[in-house]
Amino acid sequence: MAKKKTSAYKIISDSGGNRYKFYCDLSGALVCTTNTYCESTPEAELEAAWEAEGKKNFNFCHKCGKWVIEAMYNADALECVECAPWENTPEYCKFCGGKVSVSDAVCPKCGEKLIYGGNFNDLLQQE
């Protein structure tokens, strides 16, 4: 998958340059409208607007490459909710059916690693 450089956007012509409207790739919601930018090329102008104002308002889906707002992002999976839908807090291990708590990083019965349990950063370091 090639990484998209920016989210969906529209150019607003302005005297002395252009402004940009950046939209969530999943919901289509308008997320931000930038100040005016004037660079030597259209590509440089877009990159300057994205890096300075747009990018900080989005999360990048590591599976499909979409730029999405916080409400459309599953931070546990580092993916958009289309690729990794939110789930209710698991009560039972999907491997053995044993009872688990939200703080369990591994199933207390079978020892399998639980995706949404424990501290996510600890799980990433274990892989």
Side-chain angles (χ1 to χ4, degrees), residues 48-121:
W50 176 249
E51 291 297 326
E53 296 184 58
K55 188 176 185 177
K56 64 184 173 190
N57 297 292
F58 293 88
N59 294 292
F60 180 73
C61 176
H62 293 267
K63 186 172 185 179
C64 70
K66 292 179 182 169
W67 290 96
V68 298
I69 57 176
E70 193 73 29
M72 297 285 118
Y73 191 67
N74 183 336
D76 289 335
L78 302 177
E79 296 174 0
C80 71
V81 296
E82 194 171 71
C83 293
W86 291 300
E87 298 177 7
N88 292 332
T89 305
E91 295 180 34
Y92 300 95
C93 174
K94 70 178 185 178
F95 301 101
C96 72
K99 184 87 170 148
V100 297
S101 74
V102 74
S103 62
D104 291 336
V106 295
C107 175
K109 185 175 178 183
C110 72
E112 287 288 337
K113 195 182 311 183
L114 302 172
I115 294 173
Y116 294 108
N119 182 324
F120 186 70
N121 290 327

